[in-house]
Amino acid sequence: MMNYHVLDMIGEGSFGRVYKGRKRFSGQVVALKFIPKTGRSEKELTNLRREIEIMRGLQHPNIVQMLDSLETDKEVVVVTEFAEGELFQILEDDGSLPEEQVLYISLPPAKGQCI
């Protein structure tokens, strides 16, 4: 983790823990997802590595960008942009989004369309 300072834990689930972090020397705030290798089959690890490579190629203004990934003997670490909880808070408060809003978030703008 030489390139990142690990700060506060912001979430935990069945797949691992997520921490708020900061990239050294730039100060960029990031999210660090630590995924333990222990208890995972080689097939699961291969699928995880494949998913990371797919994530690396995703470019969309409404998708959190994967910035980096690294692997140690005990875990896989995925580094992404740190996204404040605005969408999470909306879903927590309202339970869902209207279909029009989902389309707006998920589809790229049409040519010539201003957003």
Side-chain angles (χ1 to χ4, degrees):
M1 294 306 305
M2 294 182 66
N3 291 327
Y4 302 94
H5 292 285
V6 178
L7 304 173
D8 304 318
M9 187 171 75
I10 54 176
E12 184 173 17
S14 61
F15 223 65
R17 292 182 175 174
V18 181
Y19 292 84
K20 183 176 184 179
R22 192 176 68 247
K23 187 171 184 177
R24 290 183 188 269
F25 310 115
S26 76
Q28 179 185 16
V29 177
V30 297
L32 301 157
K33 185 173 188 177
F34 290 81
I35 305 164
K37 290 181 179 180
T38 309
R40 303 201 191 282
S41 68
E42 272 307 310
K43 183 177 180 180
E44 287 175 309
L45 291 173
T46 298
N47 288 340
L48 175 60
R49 291 178 188 111
R50 187 176 300 128
E51 184 176 334
I52 289 169
E53 287 310 308
I54 291 168
M55 288 173 53
R56 195 179 304 280
L58 294 177
Q59 299 282 329
H60 189 280
N62 295 323
I63 296 176
V64 173
Q65 183 70 43
M66 189 184 102
L67 304 171
D68 197 3
S69 67
L70 51 114
E71 201 167 323
T72 68
D73 291 340
K74 296 182 180 182
E75 57 201 355
V76 176
V77 182
V78 177
V79 183
T80 66
E81 294 175 308
F82 182 77
E84 293 292 336
E86 184 177 323
L87 179 58
F88 175 79
Q89 193 63 53
I90 291 168
L91 292 174
E92 187 175 71
D93 292 345
D94 301 342
S96 65
L97 290 172
E99 184 177 349
E100 300 80 31
Q101 187 70 16
V102 172
L103 288 171
Y104 175 78
I105 291 169
S106 60
L107 297 175
K111 279 190 174 182
Q113 178 183 357
C114 296
I115 56 170

